[in-house]
Amino acid sequence: MAKPPASLSGQDEGSFAYLTIKDRIPQILTKVIDTLHRHKSEFFEKHGEEGMEAEKKAISLLSKLRNELQTDKPIIPLVEKFADTDIWNQYLEYHQSLLNESDGKPRWFYSPWLFVECYMYRRIHEAIIQSPPIDDFDVFKESKDQNFFESQESIIALCTYLQELVIAIEDVDENQLKNEFFKLLQISLWGNKCDLSLSGGVSSSQKTNVINSLEDLKPFILVNDMEHLWSLLTNCKKREKTSIRVDIVLDNSGFELVTDLILADFLLSSKLATEIHFYGKTIPWFVSDTTIHDFNWLIEQVKHSNHKWTSKCGVDWEKYIKMGRWVYHDHIFWTLPHEYCAMSQVAPDLYAELQKAHLILFKGDLNYRKLTGDRKWEFSVPFHEALNGFHPAPLCSIRTLKAEIQVGLQPGQGEQLTASEPNWLTTGKYGIFQYDGPL
């Protein structure tokens, strides 16, 4: 197989990677520093002087990081001893060995964008864990919670829709079931628009009822492999497999997570799956990514809603977890900088876990970047080729486009879009259901 193309990086002035490193990342760091400032009195109430000192220390480390970035200083290794520290530092050394820099040091604008962006979030985490007793503080929790609360009307509409569907599910014929499956897949796709790392942490909640917009949004789906997902799951069902397992690699908490849980609930209720496995992040990541705390918190909030159908969803979801029909996993690999084709080497246990699935759904942009190695692929390169040997099970990427990478398009499709809409790759306006697996 030909060597994969070069990585996207901040060297390309004016590119989305360049603007992310130059503008968006410093904005996010400033917001994190501001969040710590605003919680000063809370730290003092909880921990006294020690809390105040810890807040000062974290802010000083984060200001130093922001300065390193803005002056494009060499990227320095992690210092604190944590489960993944050595892996990160080895990765940094490996990159250093590939460089022709005059001082032989990797720099923020010249290193692969995927690595740089992941490393920045890992350094934010380092600043917090080096500052006990506030070392368990999630600097992004406020904005994740705000996204959930501001999307209440849409959440209620979705929960109501699901509950009415579940009540009638026994009487729904095959064709109707397929339509409902496609509808909930699309809701999960457009739920992916609510990404706080794209807006620099500024609110991006879902204020309109997405169910009513699905027809209007259809033309913006550039790759639509929903049919493959339907035939895969219905074939499993027809072959009377005792268990049908769907794995969902999560992206954002808040409204998007609700759309994913609604899809997961439907998969069980329609018997298209018998168990769902979710994967989240072990540490706060990319502003709005889901951690176990976000997952549990959100289900708890839904359960305590004063709207009956919403509350019913929360009760059911808790029941699925207790019964072991919904299983949540986290793994350190999801917050490392590696592309997924390295998973079988770097995290063989996780790769083996994913191999147990009949279908894996990868939500969102960061997953797509890691699936394809975040490289300068031609638009028409087949998805299978860009996966570079990563095939644990049949898989599908469900993402709205927010990074300058897209493969598997028809010849000329990408070029045509570029001519009519220069920013089509990064606005979240377009979406894909891109499948790889046996047809």
Side-chain angles (χ1 to χ4, degrees), residues 59 125 152 158 233 257-258 282 302 322 402 413-414 432:
I59 286 176
H125 185 61
Q152 277 313 291
L158 282 182
L233 294 176
L257 179 56
V258 173
T282 46
V302 171
K322 285 200 176 101
K402 307 181 206 108
Q413 190 183 3
I432 57 161

Side-chain angles (χ1 to χ4, degrees), residues 135-399:
D135 48 350
D136 59 351
F137 181 70
D138 179 350
V139 291
F140 303 126
K141 181 166 171 43
E142 249 180 14
S143 47
K144 288 185 276 196
D145 294 358
Q146 184 189 0
N147 172 281
F148 173 81
F149 289 125
E150 287 180 355
S151 307
Q152 277 313 291
E153 274 180 57
S154 301
I155 290 170
I156 289 169
L158 282 182
C159 290
T160 306
Y161 185 83
L162 174 74
Q163 289 302 331
E164 287 172 353
L165 178 58
V166 167
I167 289 166
I169 205 128
E170 297 303 326
D171 308 319
V172 168
D173 67 32
E174 180 110 344
N175 219 19
Q176 277 175 298
L177 198 66
K178 180 180 180 177
N179 283 337
E180 295 301 342
F181 175 52
F182 286 0
K183 232 182 232 182
L184 294 175
L185 277 170
Q186 288 170 79
I187 287 167
S188 173
L189 166 68
W190 299 118
N192 181 242
K193 272 187 167 180
C194 297
D195 188 325
L196 295 170
S197 72
L198 189 72
S199 58
V202 177
S203 170
S204 64
S205 49
Q206 181 66 38
K207 297 210 172 66
T208 55
N209 182 353
V210 70
I211 305 168
N212 302 333
S213 327
L214 293 181
E215 274 311 307
D216 301 336
L217 292 168
K218 262 199 185 129
F220 302 109
I221 301 174
L222 300 177
V223 178
N224 188 348
D225 289 339
M226 291 194 291
E227 287 283 351
H228 295 323
L229 307 186
W230 171 255
S231 28
L232 178 87
L233 294 176
T234 46
N235 282 336
C236 286
K237 198 170 156 184
K238 279 174 194 144
R239 288 203 297 270
E240 290 182 358
K241 285 192 186 275
T242 43
S243 81
I244 306 169
R245 171 169 160 174
V246 175
D247 287 16
I248 304 177
V249 183
L250 298 168
D251 189 17
N252 300 301
S253 183
F255 180 72
E256 180 176 2
L257 179 56
V258 173
T259 67
D260 297 336
L261 299 182
I262 286 201
L263 174 64
D265 190 334
F266 171 79
L267 289 170
L268 293 188
S269 306
S270 61
K271 300 185 174 64
L272 285 168
T274 57
E275 53 178 305
I276 311 286
H277 290 245
F278 300 95
Y279 299 84
K281 307 295 194 296
T282 46
I283 60 176
W285 199 246
F286 275 65
V287 186
S288 41
D289 283 18
T290 304
T291 65
I292 183 67
H293 300 293
D294 301 322
F295 189 82
N296 291 336
W297 177 87
L298 184 135
I299 291 174
E300 204 52 29
Q301 291 295 323
V302 171
K303 189 178 89 175
H304 288 117
S305 164
N306 50 19
H307 184 276
K308 70 168 183 176
W309 291 133
T310 308
S311 159
K312 171 83 166 70
C313 282
V315 170
D316 290 347
W317 298 348
E318 205 168 64
K319 184 181 75 193
Y320 294 147
I321 293 167
K322 285 200 176 101
M323 291 165 67
R325 297 189 71 195
W326 276 13
V327 183
Y328 181 95
H329 307 251
D330 47 24
H331 193 289
I332 212 159
F333 182 81
W334 303 116
T335 51
L336 290 175
H338 301 75
E339 44 197 280
Y340 291 162
C341 63
M343 186 191 289
S344 56
Q345 262 69 53
V346 180
D349 56 332
L350 177 60
Y351 193 82
E353 191 56 52
L354 291 174
Q355 285 179 307
K356 297 174 189 169
H358 292 93
L359 172 66
I360 311 166
L361 304 177
F362 284 91
K363 287 299 307 283
D365 226 47
L366 180 58
N367 276 321
Y368 194 77
R369 289 169 60 191
K370 289 185 168 191
L371 283 165
T372 57
D374 209 35
R375 297 174 178 278
K376 298 176 180 178
W377 294 105
E378 298 285 328
F379 296 131
S380 57
V381 163
F383 185 41
H384 186 82
E385 186 184 321
L387 289 170
N388 205 11
F390 179 72
H391 311 291
L395 60 87
C396 183
S397 164
I398 301 179
R399 82 184 267 240

